[in-house]
Amino acid sequence: MTGNAIGIRKRERKRLLVGLCFISPWLIGLILFQLYPILSSFYYSMTNFNLFQPPEWVGFGNYAEMVRDEKVWLSLYNTLFMAVFGLFPHLAFALAIALLLNKNVRGQSVYRTIYFLPTLVPTVAATLLWMWLLNAQYGLINELLGRIGLPQPVWLLDPLWTKPSLIMMGFWGTGTTTIMYLAALQEVPKLYYEAAEIDGANAWHKFRHITLPAISPMTLFHVIMGLIGALQLFTQGYVFTEGNGQAMGGPENSLLFFAIYLYQTAFSFLKMGYASAMAWLLFLLVFLLTVVVFKTSARWVYYGGER
């Protein structure tokens, strides 16, 4: 081997060491705060562990217990209810507002700013505000409903209305989704609309056959992120019940979402092994739904450049 080749190898080794030094903080963080907790939770999911006694190995016992646990099924139902009946109305609402904000009208930037402002309010503060608005005795919403002669539901105490209350509250925080839809709408070439108008297309035809396909990648992104967020729904349900002086899970456990039951299992019942198994079930559910959405997206998502 020549001296020149040895010199090149030394320089490459030195550059490798320098590179490893630069990324070492990220690597250490990844190992300590992500990989280790993930692997630990899988181990604890196979044990009975209450934080104060050594873990007791039970194999897949926690997973078998989940099948028999009625609260697991109830919390899954509540969570999937919110994922289906909460996500898609919110997306439709955000798209409708984005279409309005995309109109070339005077003061357009002011309207966009005003609509986005509620998104800046922290989730806990927004939830407390909505608890006041939805209060059956002195809430503003029931006051307005009463004045126009409509029924006044007991939003926070009636199991039939607790989940619709949360869905209604979700419209408050669609500002980010709207702004992203607005950015996607502005990327649609106007040439398509002009060509469609020449062919006699009306507003619905242009929306159905040009706008929706053109922004379908953005819709896919929102569906994926929305599903993940809905399956991990926690803060709103927790504040709704705790702030209203109710037991965790709300009236008749109508707000017992999977993440809330997981939290309750871990930190109220101290069943860390069982809670770890629940966390892995949630991970598998999110993974499977994400794969299903991606697999089916080829039928309705259009990417520029595709034939």
Side-chain angles (χ1 to χ4, degrees):
M1 185 176 293
T2 64
N4 189 33
I6 294 173
I8 292 173
R9 280 196 167 187
K10 282 185 177 177
R11 282 198 298 273
E12 288 178 348
R13 195 178 296 120
K14 186 178 178 182
R15 291 173 65 182
L16 175 63
L17 288 174
V18 171
L20 287 174
C21 288
F22 272 109
I23 66 169
S24 57
W26 180 84
L27 280 176
I28 293 171
L30 175 70
I31 294 170
L32 287 181
F33 301 115
Q34 295 191 30
L35 289 180
Y36 175 72
I38 289 172
L39 295 176
S40 295
S41 72
F42 184 69
Y43 165 72
Y44 287 121
S45 74
M46 301 283 187
T47 67
N48 278 336
F49 182 47
N50 63 5
L51 288 179
F52 301 106
Q53 295 174 335
E56 178 188 353
W57 182 262
V58 295
F60 288 96
N62 287 325
Y63 294 92
E65 187 180 343
M66 275 194 292
V67 176
R68 301 187 296 270
D69 190 341
E70 292 181 358
K71 278 193 170 182
V72 167
W73 293 106
L74 176 62
S75 60
L76 278 176
Y77 165 76
N78 289 337
T79 305
L80 292 175
F81 183 97
M82 294 297 296
V84 174
F85 296 103
L87 173 61
F88 296 104
H90 290 165
L91 288 184
F93 179 76
L95 178 57
I97 298 296
L99 288 169
L100 290 176
L101 293 177
N102 197 37
K103 299 290 183 186
N104 191 16
V105 295
R106 199 172 186 179
Q108 186 188 59
S109 58
V110 176
Y111 299 140
R112 292 174 182 175
T113 304
I114 291 173
Y115 182 74
F116 187 74
L117 281 178
T119 309
L120 302 178
V121 178
T123 305
V124 173
T127 306
L128 292 173
L129 171 65
W130 274 88
M131 287 177 64
W132 172 75
L133 291 173
L134 293 168
N135 190 284
Q137 295 179 330
Y138 52 79
L140 182 62
I141 291 177
N142 270 9
E143 177 70 21
L144 293 175
L145 291 175
R147 292 194 177 192
I148 58 178
L150 291 176
Q152 299 169 292
V154 186
W155 300 96
L156 306 178
L157 300 176
D158 187 342
L160 288 176
W161 288 102
T162 48
K163 283 193 280 291
S165 301
L166 279 186
I167 291 172
M168 189 164 56
M169 193 185 79
F171 290 106
W172 168 276
T174 54
T176 304
T177 307
T178 301
I179 293 300
M180 294 176 76
Y181 262 135
L182 184 59
L185 288 172
Q186 293 182 347
E187 291 298 318
V188 182
K190 291 185 171 52
L191 183 65
Y192 295 167
Y193 296 111
E194 293 168 359
E197 286 172 2
I198 292 173
D199 290 339
N202 58 29
W204 167 250
H205 290 148
K206 287 188 282 186
F207 174 73
R208 171 69 181 82
H209 299 290
I210 298 175
T211 306
L212 278 182
I215 64 171
S216 55
M218 183 61 72
T219 302
L220 173 65
F221 171 78
H222 286 312
V223 169
I224 296 286
M225 299 307 294
L227 275 176
I228 294 173
L231 293 173
Q232 299 179 62
L233 186 61
F234 177 84
T235 306
Q236 295 90 332
Y238 182 82
V239 174
F240 248 52
T241 53
E242 291 293 307
N244 208 27
Q246 301 171 346
M248 195 177 292
E252 299 183 14
N253 283 325
S254 57
L255 294 178
L256 185 68
F257 302 120
F258 195 81
I260 290 180
Y261 186 41
L262 194 157
Y263 172 87
Q264 189 180 32
T265 302
F267 299 105
S268 298
F269 307 147
L270 294 180
K271 297 172 66 174
M272 292 294 174
Y274 193 62
S276 298
M278 290 180 64
W280 275 92
L281 175 64
L282 181 61
F283 165 75
L284 289 175
L285 188 61
V286 170
F287 178 77
L288 286 175
L289 287 177
T290 304
V291 169
V292 168
V293 172
F294 266 115
K295 288 289 184 185
T296 56
S297 67
R299 299 179 181 177
W300 58 275
V301 176
Y302 169 80
Y303 294 101
E306 282 186 345
R307 294 183 178 178

